[in-house]
Amino acid sequence: MDDIQSYAILLLVWLIPTLLLVRAIFSKTRPTWRLPPSPIALPIIGHLHLLGPLPHQSFHKLSTHYGPLIRLRLGSVPAVIASSPDTAKEILKTNEISFASRPLSSAARHLTYGSSGFVFAPCGHYWKFIKKLCMSELLGSRTLDLMLPIRRLELRRFLQLLLERSEAGEPVDLSAKLSTMTNNVISMMVMRKRCGRIEGEDEVRRLLLEMTELIGRFNLGDFIGLCRKLDFQGLEKRYKDLHGRLDGIMERIIQEHEEERKVRREMGVGGGGDCARDLIEILLDISEDEKAAMKLTTENIKAFVQDIFAAGTDTSAITAEWALAELINHPNIFKKAREEIDAVVGKERLVEESDIPNLPYIQAIIKETLRLHPTAPLIIRKSSDHCKISGYDIPSDTRVFINVWAIGRDPHHWDDPLEFRPERFMPSDKGDSSQIDIRGQHFHLLPFGSGRRACPGITLAMQVVQTTIAAMVHSFEWKIASEDGGGNICVDMTEGTAGITVPRAKPLVCFPIARIRPLLMDTTFE
């Protein structure tokens, strides 16, 4: 026993100085990091208690106190929030390579076939291949030009519905009808079918909206490791169920395309030329091309199609709805927009996409809408290595949130930032904000992101939204429907909670009153 005690004492005499020496050496060699300012965190949950149902607003409130770059701990996940054009520029341009990937949530992993699509794919050879494919083929100018008749037809279907409601004196839920129109535009471009005509699947739009909502929904398991396998919220079950239903639809659509291709081959009928192939057809061609830089799998095709639907449907509809709501609340701006359209288009025909370059005030209205109401208020990235932003150290594997919503309302960069004033984007406006584009080159306006991971569907989205708003302003007066069937003067502009997008809290329900009745083209398209 005495020997053991002696050995124990000798061990402690040796161990304590050794540990102190190691600590001293480590403290000298360990880098001293300067981290962004941060509120006091709580055990386990970190700063999660500071986030409300609209995280972009919660982040903005914190940034007004702690500065344009702040550090948070969301459960066990380190995060930084950037809320100014300068910090956004450092992340999206100066250090673009370090922030070129997106974090993969549980929802995205389940619903995008393990990031087999485009939106959540890590920045690598596959992502570069599919980005090039998007810009040159799938969403390139030639494809969009060939699919112009589809967009024109769906807009006319929508206007015809508004005209019928006008004649009947009935209100229209524009939230639902705009979403249906944009969904049909995407559906026709993707598979040459309107969603309502997919056999046995009239609920496609609902499933896609549920997918968007789930991807943006807060999952406790993504932020607190202890909850990862417990599924307290029941979200994992919903992911798997939704994935199974969507996968069945995608599988059937692709199978139908493959059978049609087989029949055409047997008949010796080919495609191409000036005939617009749908996006699935283009993807199948690439998957069978032995010379392609990468081999596309069926899962890649299904994931990419879901990305297109999720990114292109709700976002355009929500932007158009916010724009009309702002115009109804600002009758002088509405009147000025209509006068511009009347001067360029007249009253004998409908507005066309080709008219938009000659309608700068309509373009300014959409820019101003995207400034105040970006449909995706947060750009989410992940740091792949250690770097510095605004003099602060950002460790690798840090979640990065760029608050697009806050940047658009920054009083240091915008005069009267809460005022809806499209004139700020007109050339004659003081300060000449007209030079700020929507592609994120100036970092004051980032509705579609910026750099290599910017949204590739910018052109399509702007074509749809600008032409739709121009047509609605040109053809109809709008009276707000109240719950008792009467009329209100102002539209409630409260933001609602959803997923990765921010819709209005209440659907926009209006009485359309026909102003001009141009001859609408035949809306049959098979």
Side-chain angles (χ1 to χ4, degrees), residues 10 44 71-72 89 99 103 118 150 173-174 197 288 310 331 336 340 356 364 413 424 427 458 494:
L10 287 172
I44 301 177
R71 174 174 53 91
L72 298 178
K89 182 178 180 179
F99 298 97
F118 174 68
I150 290 173
D173 182 346
L174 287 170
R197 294 182 63 86
E288 296 174 1
K336 185 175 178 180
E340 179 185 66
I356 298 302
H413 300 279
R424 75 176 77 244
I458 299 175
T494 305

Side-chain angles (χ1 to χ4, degrees), residues 345-358:
V345 178
K347 299 180 181 180
E348 303 302 321
R349 66 177 179 87
L350 293 174
V351 178
E352 298 283 351
E353 284 185 12
S354 57
D355 295 314
I356 298 302
N358 300 318

Side-chain angles (χ1 to χ4, degrees), residues 20-37:
L20 291 174
L21 180 61
V22 169
R23 181 179 178 183
I25 294 172
F26 181 72
S27 63
K28 289 180 179 180
T29 57
R30 183 176 58 185
T32 303
W33 283 355
R34 181 173 179 250
L35 299 173

Side-chain angles (χ1 to χ4, degrees), residues 162-207:
L162 296 180
L163 183 58
E164 291 169 1
R165 294 292 178 88
S166 173
E167 292 173 344
E170 297 175 350
V172 179
D173 182 346
L174 287 170
S175 301
K177 298 307 178 184
L178 282 167
S179 184
T180 298
M181 183 196 75
T182 54
N183 187 251
N184 283 329
V185 168
I186 298 298
S187 182
M188 287 291 292
M189 291 179 64
V190 168
M191 56 184 139
R192 282 285 177 170
K193 285 185 179 181
R194 305 173 84 235
C195 271
R197 294 182 63 86
I198 300 174
E199 185 178 353
E201 296 297 343
D202 292 341
E203 63 172 4
V204 172
R205 174 176 159 270
R206 185 182 65 80
L207 293 178

Side-chain angles (χ1 to χ4, degrees), residues 45-329:
I45 66 171
H47 298 100
L48 287 176
H49 63 292
L50 299 177
L51 303 189
L54 296 172
H56 58 281
Q57 292 192 15
S58 301
F59 290 155
H60 176 56
K61 184 178 180 181
L62 289 170
S63 70
T64 59
H65 182 72
Y66 291 96
L69 191 72
I70 62 176
R71 174 174 53 91
L72 298 178
R73 182 165 58 81
L74 306 178
S76 56
V77 176
V80 295
I81 318 300
S83 302
S84 73
D86 293 336
T87 54
K89 182 178 180 179
E90 286 195 62
I91 293 167
L92 298 174
K93 185 176 181 181
T94 309
N95 297 279
E96 183 181 17
I97 301 299
S98 297
F99 298 97
S101 292
R102 291 191 171 106
L104 189 63
S105 65
S106 299
R109 186 168 55 253
H110 280 90
L111 298 173
T112 64
Y113 301 85
S115 72
S116 295
F118 174 68
V119 174
F120 293 98
C123 189
H125 294 301
Y126 169 74
W127 181 85
K128 291 176 182 178
F129 171 75
I130 206 75
K131 173 68 180 287
K132 183 178 179 181
L133 185 62
C134 277
M135 305 310 295
S136 62
E137 288 277 350
L138 303 178
L139 296 172
S141 58
R142 183 175 181 274
T143 300
L144 294 183
D145 288 344
L146 289 172
M147 291 186 173
L148 171 61
I150 290 173
R151 300 192 295 278
R152 181 187 292 131
L153 176 66
E154 293 303 330
L155 177 59
R156 278 156 177 69
R157 287 180 186 272
F158 173 66
L159 295 175
Q160 183 66 51
L161 180 144
L162 296 180
L163 183 58
E164 291 169 1
R165 294 292 178 88
S166 173
E167 292 173 344
E170 297 175 350
V172 179
D173 182 346
L174 287 170
S175 301
K177 298 307 178 184
L178 282 167
S179 184
T180 298
M181 183 196 75
T182 54
N183 187 251
N184 283 329
V185 168
I186 298 298
S187 182
M188 287 291 292
M189 291 179 64
V190 168
M191 56 184 139
R192 282 285 177 170
K193 285 185 179 181
R194 305 173 84 235
C195 271
R197 294 182 63 86
I198 300 174
E199 185 178 353
E201 296 297 343
D202 292 341
E203 63 172 4
V204 172
R205 174 176 159 270
R206 185 182 65 80
L207 293 178
L208 292 167
L209 290 177
E210 184 180 355
M211 175 183 172
T212 304
E213 184 261 332
L214 281 177
I215 288 178
R217 180 90 174 265
F218 174 80
N219 185 343
L220 202 60
D222 286 332
F223 296 95
I224 299 178
L226 296 173
C227 304
R228 194 158 295 154
K229 296 184 178 181
L230 299 178
D231 194 22
F232 286 120
Q233 300 159 278
L235 291 176
E236 294 286 335
K237 184 178 182 299
R238 289 185 63 187
Y239 299 156
K240 293 175 183 177
D241 177 63
L242 179 59
H243 173 72
R245 286 181 288 162
L246 281 172
D247 184 70
I249 296 170
M250 294 295 113
E251 192 69 40
R252 185 161 61 253
I253 292 168
I254 292 174
Q255 186 176 354
E256 289 174 0
H257 273 72
E258 289 176 336
E259 290 172 356
E260 291 172 4
R261 288 160 65 84
K262 182 179 178 182
V263 170
R264 288 203 303 269
R265 288 193 189 104
E266 291 174 350
M267 296 176 63
V269 178
D274 293 330
C275 178
R277 297 175 296 163
D278 62 44
L279 299 188
I280 291 181
E281 188 78 12
I282 294 172
L283 290 169
L284 287 172
D285 282 347
I286 294 168
S287 71
E288 296 174 1
D289 184 1
E290 296 180 356
K291 297 181 180 179
M294 295 200 75
K295 181 73 173 177
L296 289 182
T297 66
T298 301
E299 286 196 347
N300 291 140
I301 295 174
K302 289 189 287 189
F304 185 84
V305 168
Q306 287 185 184
D307 283 348
I308 292 290
F309 269 111
T313 297
D314 218 24
T315 49
S316 297
I318 288 173
T319 300
E321 186 184 355
W322 278 116
L324 186 63
E326 288 285 8
L327 289 172
I328 292 172
N329 281 350

